[in-house]
Amino acid sequence: RKQAQGSAHRQEQLRLSNLIGYERMTFETFDAERFDLRPNEKDALMRAKKMAVSFATNLQGWLFFQGGYGVGKTHLAAAIANEVLRQGVDCIFQPVPDLLDWIRATYKRGGETYTTRFERIKNVPVLILDDLGAESGTEWADEKLFQIFNHRVVHHLATVITTNIDPKEMDGRIESRLNDPSLVTRIFLDIRDYR
């Protein structure tokens, strides 16, 4: 019975964190030493994994993964989320376009209110935003993302972000925060798509 309750609790945590489907993405399953990678690519992935493990242990500051498609950014971000959840710390893992849709969904009647959901996103102990820059570049989207980022900067809340675009292509207020070396540890994965 305890095992069934534990499993049900784990499924609920995965649902609330939006990690259903990402459970297999852990530090143990992250393969940074594939045979088809060049030595410098293996080194870059091992460094990225080491920094991700350190972040998941300390939960301080921001971690910013930048690189092309299929280089392991999402896997490392999900591994952080799974480890944080294993430690019993609340987190939200969302691709940015889905996060914005999740906020918009509160405008319809019924269910969680906009204020409750938006406050939850802004204040969750660990927020992991995958694929920043994939969202539609509307004023509304830029405003919501700025509000989230600014709140998390001011309140020193652990945040992980992945992107495959140059921050110069983002809203200037967001770019400024992502380029702050006192807040953000930036990991650039300049390797080939190995997916």
Side-chain angles (χ1 to χ4, degrees):
R1 185 167 179 223
K2 267 187 177 180
Q3 192 174 20
Q5 286 176 332
S7 179
H9 178 69
R10 170 82 175 145
Q11 284 302 308
E12 182 63 7
Q13 285 182 314
L14 289 170
R15 186 188 68 75
L16 291 172
S17 298
N18 196 45
L19 282 168
I20 293 175
Y22 295 94
E23 307 99 304
R24 65 176 176 74
M25 294 185 178
T26 65
F27 293 125
E28 291 76 24
T29 62
F30 184 74
D31 186 6
E33 298 190 30
R34 289 176 44 152
F35 70 92
D36 55 342
L37 292 173
R38 298 178 187 125
N40 64 316
E41 292 174 328
K42 289 180 184 181
D43 290 345
L45 286 175
M46 289 303 290
R47 277 193 310 275
K49 179 181 177 181
K50 184 177 180 181
M51 293 173 91
V53 168
S54 176
F55 181 88
T57 303
N58 299 312
L59 298 178
Q60 293 183 354
W62 289 23
L63 199 56
F64 178 44
F65 293 101
Q66 183 184 356
Y69 301 103
V71 300
K73 301 180 308 291
T74 297
H75 190 130
L76 286 172
I80 291 169
N82 280 305
E83 176 59 24
V84 164
L85 205 59
R86 190 190 66 73
Q87 295 170 19
V89 177
D90 288 340
C91 73
I92 293 174
F93 174 94
Q94 283 272 7
V96 173
D98 294 348
L99 178 86
L100 295 170
D101 284 348
W102 196 46
I103 295 169
R104 276 188 207 100
T106 62
Y107 294 151
K108 296 177 183 172
R109 292 186 180 256
E112 192 173 31
T113 68
Y114 166 82
T115 303
T116 302
R117 183 166 294 170
F118 199 57
E119 288 301 312
R120 183 170 152 221
I121 292 165
K122 289 191 318 185
N123 289 300
V124 69
V126 181
L127 178 63
I128 301 175
L129 299 177
D130 190 36
D131 217 3
L132 179 64
E135 71 280 356
S136 297
T138 65
E139 285 183 31
W140 181 87
D142 288 345
E143 176 189 325
K144 294 300 138 197
L145 289 171
F146 170 72
Q147 287 175 299
I148 292 166
F149 281 34
N150 192 58
H151 181 84
R152 297 187 70 79
V153 167
V154 169
H155 295 280
H156 308 286
L157 295 168
T159 306
V160 178
I161 298 162
T162 75
T163 190
N164 55 35
I165 66 170
D166 190 318
K168 292 177 184 169
E169 298 175 39
M170 299 175 190
D171 178 280
R173 300 168 298 176
I174 292 171
E175 176 196 3
S176 173
R177 280 151 183 81
L178 292 177
N179 285 325
D180 179 356
S182 69
L183 170 70
V184 179
T185 300
R186 193 168 176 178
I187 301 168
F188 185 66
L189 293 169
D190 186 18
I191 63 175
R192 295 168 294 157
D193 181 341
Y194 73 95
R195 188 176 345 218

